[in-house]
């Protein structure tokens, strides 16, 4: 399996290094022959090539079996004409990665104030309120006068249908419960359509239990009783905000792994940003990107029909759970290890025989 790794900005290089070590250990243990090819993206690429994503990188990524993208300094990149492209948007759009799967679960041994839970937010990834990806040309945020801004949200039948399908299929492999999150009482047409389509698609999966919750009420429900939820489907921005909350409820934003998936490609990417406030200090939690990479291996296994990759993905998740049970973790989740040492602890568990599926009880 050929993986392109783009470390990114802020804490990106630190968590990417730890992730790379874990991928190599998993490759060795499961004989995956993973080849990792590292390229610059973000500020490092802007300095070297005059663009945050250099020409040709997209083709390199398309020819690989998977992409791991570290967090990038999105807020710094304002002028596409000067090469300041948002790499996350660029790959999501150009690889048509329409589904963003963001699992969140609690871990035995880790403090959790809201009770044990295990859910996945399935977020539409290609339209919605993200003004930089809604238009064929230009941006859907308009400065009408210096004091008036209009931000347009795009919702299409096609994108609603495919995200609903992805969510239903995932729910069928889990606890068969789908929750549709929306704001159809205010966004009556756009979210009305999203809700109707999700319900329609779910009718083809009669074994599913389906309910829906308004996005504002969802913030209360998920804090009050997170174990009520299994698979939660939402439009782009609602899903983004909700999944930061569910990651934090699980223990830390630094546990938020995610996979961006399309029909042909997939990109592992932590749910959080580049966290410039803690960059370069060896304190960032690398587990978000490590879990994202585990999801990428599992996706490759499913696509290629080679179960070794799914076993490797599961073994990484189990090794993470064991590390946390033993308190081998960063400060944000109550441990006292640095970024690199946390990665090494997960590598050591993976290399030992204790990292089996049964060890890490949920
Ligand atoms: P960006 O502008 O790139 O999104 P940000 O700092 O605004 O960066 P996040 O990177 O998502 O937003 O970070 C939000 C908060 O969560 C910050 O206080 C950050 O330190 C913390 N955080 C994010 N990722 C991690 C991590 N992997 N480990 C520990 N703390 C993290």
């Amino acid at each position: 399996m050929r993986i392109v790794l783009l470390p990114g900005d802020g804490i990106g290089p630190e968590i990417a290094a730890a992730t790379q070590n874990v991928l190599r250990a998993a490759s060795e243990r499961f004989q995956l022959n993973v080849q990792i090819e590292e390229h610059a993206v973000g500020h490092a690429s802007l300095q070297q090539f005059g663009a945050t994503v250099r020409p040709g990188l997209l083709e390199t990524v398309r020819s690989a079996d998977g992409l791991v993208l570290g967090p990038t300094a999105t807020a710094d990149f304002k002028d596409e004409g000067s090469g300041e492209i948002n790499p996350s948007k660029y790959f999501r759009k150009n690889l048509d990665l329409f589904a963003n799967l963001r699992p969140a679960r609690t871990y035995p041994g880790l403090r959790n104030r809201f009770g044990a839970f295990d859910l996945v937010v399935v977020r539409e990834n290609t339209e919605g309120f993200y003004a930089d990806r809604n238009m064929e040309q230009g941006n859907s945020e308009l400065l009408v006068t210096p004091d008036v801004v209009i931000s347009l949200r795009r919702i299409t039948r096609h994108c609603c249908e495919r995200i609903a399908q992805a969510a239903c299929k995932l729910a069928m492999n889990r606890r068969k419960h789908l929750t549709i999150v929306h704001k159809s009482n205010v966004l009556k047409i756009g979210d009305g359509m999203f809700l109707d389509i999700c319900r329609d698609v779910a009718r083809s999966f009669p074994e599913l239990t389906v309910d829906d919750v308004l996005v504002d009420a969802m913030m209360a429900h998920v804090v009050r009783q997170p174990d009520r939820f299994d698979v939660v489907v939402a439009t782009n921005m609602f899903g983004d905000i909700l999944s930061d909350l569910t990651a934090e409820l699980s223990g830390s934003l630094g546990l938020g792994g995610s996979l961006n998936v399309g029909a042909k490609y997939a990109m592992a990417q932590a749910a959080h940003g580049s966290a410039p406030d803690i960059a370069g200090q060896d304190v960032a939690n690398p587990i978000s990107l490590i879990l994202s990479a585990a999801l990428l291996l599992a996706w490759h296994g499913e696509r290629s029909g080679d179960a070794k990759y799914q076993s490797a993905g599961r073994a990484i998740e189990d090794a993470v759970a064991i590390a946390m049970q033993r308190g081998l973790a960063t400060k944000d989740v109550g441990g006292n290890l640095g970024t690199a040492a946390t990665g090494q602890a997960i590598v050591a568990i993976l290399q030992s025989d204790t990292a089996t599926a049964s060890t890490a009880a949920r």
Side-chain angles (χ1 to χ4, degrees), residues 11 72-75 252-254 272-278 283-285 288 332:
I11 59 172
T72 56
T74 313
S252 166
L253 201 45
H272 57 72
S274 61
D277 53 333
I278 55 168
V283 296
N285 192 338
S288 48
D332 57 312

Side-chain angles (χ1 to χ4, degrees), residues 47-64:
Q47 262 177 9
Q48 215 180 331
F49 306 108
T52 52
V53 182
R54 68 167 168 75
L57 188 55
L58 184 60
E59 276 323 302
T60 305
V61 168
R62 280 197 177 123
S63 70

Side-chain angles (χ1 to χ4, degrees), residues 162-182:
R162 62 186 184 171
I163 199 65
Q165 282 282 350
C168 288
K169 283 181 190 155
L170 181 66
M172 287 300 292
N173 288 324
R174 290 176 48 95
R175 300 194 305 277
K176 297 188 171 54
H177 177 194
L178 177 74
T179 302
I180 308 160
V181 166
H182 61 94

Side-chain angles (χ1 to χ4, degrees), residues 34-69:
V34 169
Q35 318 277 327
I36 300 172
E37 209 179 285
E38 197 174 311
H39 294 274
V41 77
H43 278 297
S45 174
L46 192 60
Q47 262 177 9
Q48 215 180 331
F49 306 108
T52 52
V53 182
R54 68 167 168 75
L57 188 55
L58 184 60
E59 276 323 302
T60 305
V61 168
R62 280 197 177 123
S63 70
D65 298 302
L67 169 62
V68 178
L69 175 66

